[in-house]
């Protein structure tokens, strides 16, 4: 293994842990890697840097801290002033529903679709909790290696919305399991996720990095153009099954829910949902210890 060559500072860290392998690390562990605009655009920049480097054959998406991502940081304003769009959307400051629709179309659904189609294989290296917007970082990846402590949840039904903006639940989980996830908000364990087919490998937490890099190294040994074409063939098959159209349809329903909540609650979500979500996503207390709740930032205080 070669020494990592990190770029430090900011919400994202860029590393080269192996020849032909780039590792992009979410680096907001104190917020459990809650996502703000800066992080999402920095992640997009890192992906662009990786695929623009002809030496890159595999990308790993990892995260600092005990949890992969607690979702969207809803203490942020999500102000798009001065932002450079990555998905050709616009109208961020438009009045009424248009401005927020454009913002979510750029930062959430749009970026996820862009990342899904990156011309290099992407492996998610996942530990701890993955909540709502966290799924939107994992699901565009091609492969998932998870620690056995990983859990996956989309509890935003408590906000009176239909689910996360990148709505690929049907393909990741199957129809009935997706409904159970969304109706109850209850998390899926790593072992169940592997059984369903959402996760490729489950390993002990102390083996997670090595197992992910081993998989990346095996892929990096193969001709990159053939891998690129195989990825495109599968993604085009998903689109022929209707995945992209389903994402766009669900995104419209998501904004119907926002409009509904503006009338009922003068905000984008039902504010009573925050407490429900925090309770449902808290890590159980160890013997003699205390529960580990998600910090009061992500997926639900204001959006």
């Amino acid at each position: 293994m070669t020494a990592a060559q990190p770029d430090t500072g900011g919400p994202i860290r860029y590393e080269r842990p192996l020849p032909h392998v780039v590792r992009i690390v979410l680096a907001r562990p104190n917020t459990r890697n809650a996502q703000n605009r800066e992080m999402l655009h920095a992640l997009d920049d890192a992906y662009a840097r990786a695929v623009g480097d002809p030496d890159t054959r595999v990308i790993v998406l990892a995260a600092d801290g005990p949890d992969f991502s607690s979702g969207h940081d809803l203490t942020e304003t999500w102000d798009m002033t001065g932002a450079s769009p990555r998905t050709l959307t616009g109208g961020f400051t438009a009045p009424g529903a248009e401005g927020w629709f454009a913002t979510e179309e750029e930062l959430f659904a749009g970026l996820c679709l862009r990342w899904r189609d990156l011309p290099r294989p992407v492996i998610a290296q996942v530990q701890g909790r993955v909540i709502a917007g966290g799924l939107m970082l994992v699901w565009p990846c091609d492969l998932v290696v998870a620690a056995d402590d990983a859990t996956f949840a989309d509890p935003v039904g408590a906000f009176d919305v239909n689910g996360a903006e990148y709505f690929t639940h049907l393909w990741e989980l199957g129809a009935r399991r997706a409904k159970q996830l969304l109706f109850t908000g209850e998390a899926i364990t790593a072992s169940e996720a592997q059984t369903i087919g959402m996760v490729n490998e489950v390993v002990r937490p102390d083996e997670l990095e090595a197992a992910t890099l081993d998989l990346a190294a095996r892929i990096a040994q193969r001709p990159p153009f053939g891998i690129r074409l195989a990825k495109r063939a599968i993604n085009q098959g998903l689109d022929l099954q209707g995945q992209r159209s389903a994402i766009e349809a669900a995104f419209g329903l998501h904004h119907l829910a926002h409009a509904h909540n503006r009338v009922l609650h003068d905000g984008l979500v039902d504010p009573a949902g925050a407490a429900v979500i925090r309770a449902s996503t808290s890590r159980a207390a160890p013997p003699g210890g205390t529960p580990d709740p998600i910090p009061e930032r992500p997926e639900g205080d204001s959006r």
Side-chain angles (χ1 to χ4, degrees):
M1 180 183 299
T2 61
Q5 301 171 8
D7 284 352
T8 57
I12 295 293
R13 193 168 63 256
Y14 190 97
E15 302 174 343
R16 280 200 167 276
L18 292 175
H20 308 303
V21 176
V22 165
R23 182 167 56 202
I24 301 168
V25 185
L26 310 179
R28 299 186 76 204
N30 291 340
T31 68
R32 300 297 195 267
N33 297 307
Q35 305 153 36
N36 56 13
R37 191 200 83 184
E38 180 187 10
M39 173 182 271
L40 294 175
H41 276 170
L43 177 57
D44 189 64
D45 290 340
Y47 276 140
R49 175 181 172 184
V51 299
D53 182 347
D55 187 59
T56 302
R57 294 190 175 191
V58 182
I59 302 168
V60 171
L61 179 62
D64 287 337
D67 295 304
F68 182 84
S69 179
S70 56
H72 298 142
D73 188 338
L74 302 179
T75 66
E76 297 280 342
T77 64
W78 298 92
D79 181 13
M80 296 292 283
T81 302
S84 175
R86 317 302 170 89
T87 63
L88 299 181
T89 190
F92 303 125
T93 61
E98 182 180 356
W100 186 244
F101 183 93
T103 298
E104 287 203 342
E105 188 177 41
E106 156 73 7
L107 291 175
F108 303 153
L111 284 180
C112 289
L113 285 166
R114 173 178 164 95
W115 298 337
R116 190 202 75 155
D117 290 331
L118 290 172
R120 291 290 180 264
V122 184
I123 306 172
Q125 175 184 307
V126 178
Q127 78 283 357
R129 289 168 286 192
V130 183
I131 301 171
L135 296 171
M136 295 166 56
L137 301 183
V138 173
W139 283 351
C141 296
D142 301 295
L143 303 171
V144 181
V145 181
D148 59 19
D149 67 348
T151 58
F152 305 86
D154 189 357
V156 299
F159 287 143
D160 216 3
V161 300
N162 57 309
E165 293 87 344
Y166 180 69
F167 200 91
T168 57
H169 303 60
L170 174 61
W171 282 267
E172 297 290 349
L173 307 174
R176 285 189 170 80
R177 192 62 184 89
K179 288 177 181 178
Q180 183 178 352
L181 178 81
L182 292 166
F183 294 174
T184 68
E186 296 166 357
I188 293 173
T189 65
S191 60
E192 183 185 357
Q194 184 179 31
T195 300
I196 291 170
M198 193 190 92
V199 165
N200 297 89
E201 298 182 18
V202 176
V203 298
R204 296 198 313 263
D206 62 344
E207 298 175 335
L208 180 61
E209 178 180 4
T212 305
L213 290 179
D214 176 70
L215 178 59
R218 285 185 277 132
I219 295 170
Q221 293 173 3
R222 302 179 72 82
F225 190 49
I227 299 293
R228 177 176 184 170
L229 295 180
K231 174 172 178 171
R232 176 169 292 201
I234 291 172
N235 284 359
Q236 287 177 338
L238 291 171
D239 288 340
L240 288 171
Q241 292 174 359
Q243 187 182 81
R244 186 175 295 262
S245 295
I247 292 168
E248 292 174 353
F251 185 72
L253 295 175
H254 186 89
H255 280 268
L256 172 61
H258 283 328
H260 172 75
N261 282 305
R262 284 186 187 276
V263 172
L264 293 185
H265 308 294
D266 196 28
L268 292 166
V269 300
D270 182 342
V276 176
I277 291 172
R278 281 178 57 78
S280 69
T281 57
S282 291
R283 185 177 286 119
T290 58
D292 178 18
I294 289 291
E296 292 188 21
R297 306 177 67 91
E299 215 60 68
D301 295 325
S302 62
R303 183 161 57 83

